[in-house]
Amino acid sequence: MRGSHHHHHHGSMPTYFHVGALAKDCLINGFKIGAWQMHCSTRTDNDFYLNTFGEGYPTMKNVFGGMEVFKEVGNYSTSLGWFTNNDLLSEIAVRGMNFGSRLYGLLKSTIGTTDEVSFQTKLKCGLERDPVKVELVVPLYNEPLFLGYVLVAPVENWVLGYRTECNFDEKGFDKHALCLGYNNGRTEVGLKLENFEDLRGSIFQRIGEAWAFAIKTNLYSSENVKQFAIGVQYDFQNGTMVKAKLREDSRMGFVYQSKIGENIDVGYHLAFDGVDPIGGAHRIGVSWGFHC
């Protein structure tokens, strides 16, 4: 299922994708809502989790959705998902400890049934032993991408990582990236150097208890593309947050996120052209999440 399962836990070390995550959260989370999104997760008595989600766009011709059943037994877990584009997704996971290292493996298979039946499968495996984490995604069948990263947390609040991506279908399109991250909970700095050509940076800073701002920009690009986003957020400390964002192409966006009771999350998103707020392109979106 797209998005992360809140009930998966692979130990405590951050992953490669945690570098710059607070800035990303501030600048991206909620701003992606197209028209409407709904998500519902339920836990049954015997520890089955059931997730359903749907999203639709103004035309209503393209509605996408799915459901997933997830079950955890000891160190094993398994899930089966079905999507409206007739894909079936199955996952089998195992994790354990060995010689003071945390190990985990996840076998992911997709069965597509739209035109003819297709089958893809890949293995995700990882090892954590403070201060090092290694994760690999190994293609087993019909899956072109090999991914891997190594992350080192040498001193508190700092991480250094290397990530590689090889595409077996398109030779020569390999990607390499180095990253450096600092995060003490209030200040976060992230730097990513991709293919030794593009340097991207992000800063996130809390001000007091409620305010925070974030900046994300590419500091150096081989093709001299300027990308830039700046955002502020205000957290009402009661589950409600408001965010505003401005991009280099003068797009402005606003997000309002709130909770209704314990179990319902609501998000509203409005975006428009800052130079021409009335005549430019608009986007409005709503998302609902239910945790029963």
Side-chain angles (χ1 to χ4, degrees):
M1 180 157 284
R2 311 192 308 174
S4 57
H5 304 293
H6 48 86
H7 44 249
H8 288 193
H9 27 216
H10 293 322
S12 58
M13 270 193 73
T15 71
Y16 183 89
F17 306 100
H18 280 90
V19 172
L22 289 174
K24 210 162 19 183
D25 219 36
C26 174
L27 294 168
I28 291 173
N29 203 352
F31 291 100
K32 284 256 189 279
I33 307 168
W36 60 266
Q37 280 180 343
M38 198 191 88
H39 176 248
C40 178
S41 58
T42 322
R43 184 178 175 173
T44 64
D45 299 342
N46 43 12
D47 282 350
F48 273 98
Y49 290 89
L50 184 67
N51 288 309
T52 51
F53 76 98
E55 50 190 60
Y57 298 93
T59 57
M60 289 307 279
K61 287 198 182 77
N62 32 7
V63 175
F64 180 77
M67 64 179 291
E68 176 206 42
V69 183
F70 176 90
K71 171 82 174 158
E72 215 163 8
V73 187
N75 282 337
Y76 294 87
S77 62
T78 174
S79 78
L80 189 65
W82 171 83
F83 300 105
T84 47
N85 60 1
N86 286 341
D87 279 1
L88 282 169
L89 184 71
S90 82
E91 286 182 15
I92 300 164
V94 60
R95 39 170 202 281
M97 291 287 287
N98 200 346
F99 304 118
S101 306
R102 280 188 293 270
L103 305 165
Y104 56 91
L106 179 76
L107 190 65
K108 240 180 169 163
S109 306
T110 311
I111 302 167
T113 57
T114 314
D115 301 325
E116 67 249 29
V117 174
S118 64
F119 183 72
Q120 290 165 299
T121 183
K122 60 186 174 189
L123 175 69
K124 179 176 174 177
C125 48
L127 176 151
E128 275 184 34
R129 185 178 188 143
D130 294 335
V132 180
K133 177 174 174 128
V134 180
E135 188 169 280
L136 299 175
V137 179
V138 185
L140 296 181
Y141 183 75
N142 243 347
E143 188 75 67
L145 286 183
F146 170 87
L147 309 166
Y149 70 78
V150 183
L151 199 74
V152 188
V155 284
E156 201 187 356
N157 299 339
W158 287 90
V159 291
L160 183 65
Y162 166 76
R163 178 172 187 254
T164 180
E165 180 177 310
C166 304
N167 190 331
F168 292 130
D169 285 357
E170 305 174 31
K171 291 276 186 286
F173 278 90
D174 301 350
K175 287 184 190 162
H176 306 280
L178 289 168
C179 74
L180 176 68
Y182 172 81
N183 180 359
N184 66 8
R186 293 189 64 80
T187 304
E188 177 201 69
V189 180
L191 278 178
K192 285 189 181 174
L193 177 65
E194 301 200 349
N195 286 348
F196 306 106
E197 305 177 318
D198 295 322
L199 182 63
R200 295 207 306 248
S202 68
I203 295 171
F204 174 91
Q205 176 65 53
R206 292 190 196 282
I207 304 161
E209 287 305 297
W211 289 96
F213 73 88
I215 299 172
K216 204 174 158 140
T217 175
N218 57 353
L219 304 163
Y220 173 80
S221 148
S222 54
E223 293 163 8
N224 227 343
V225 191
K226 276 278 168 279
Q227 280 181 323
F228 180 83
I230 181 163
V232 291
Q233 65 186 40
Y234 184 86
D235 189 340
F236 288 90
Q237 311 288 323
N238 59 3
T240 299
M241 188 186 274
V242 230
K243 306 200 289 191
K245 168 172 122 176
L246 177 64
R247 279 195 338 206
E248 82 282 337
D249 57 3
S250 77
R251 286 291 283 170
M252 284 196 78
F254 293 92
V255 165
Y256 172 87
Q257 290 167 334
S258 192
K259 274 190 170 334
I260 300 176
E262 292 280 286
N263 300 331
I264 304 177
D265 299 322
V266 199
Y268 298 99
H269 169 217
L270 166 68
F272 55 85
D273 188 337
V275 176
D276 184 3
I278 310 297
H282 295 80
R283 272 182 78 186
I284 294 176
V286 183
S287 96
W288 290 75
F290 302 91
H291 314 282
C292 326

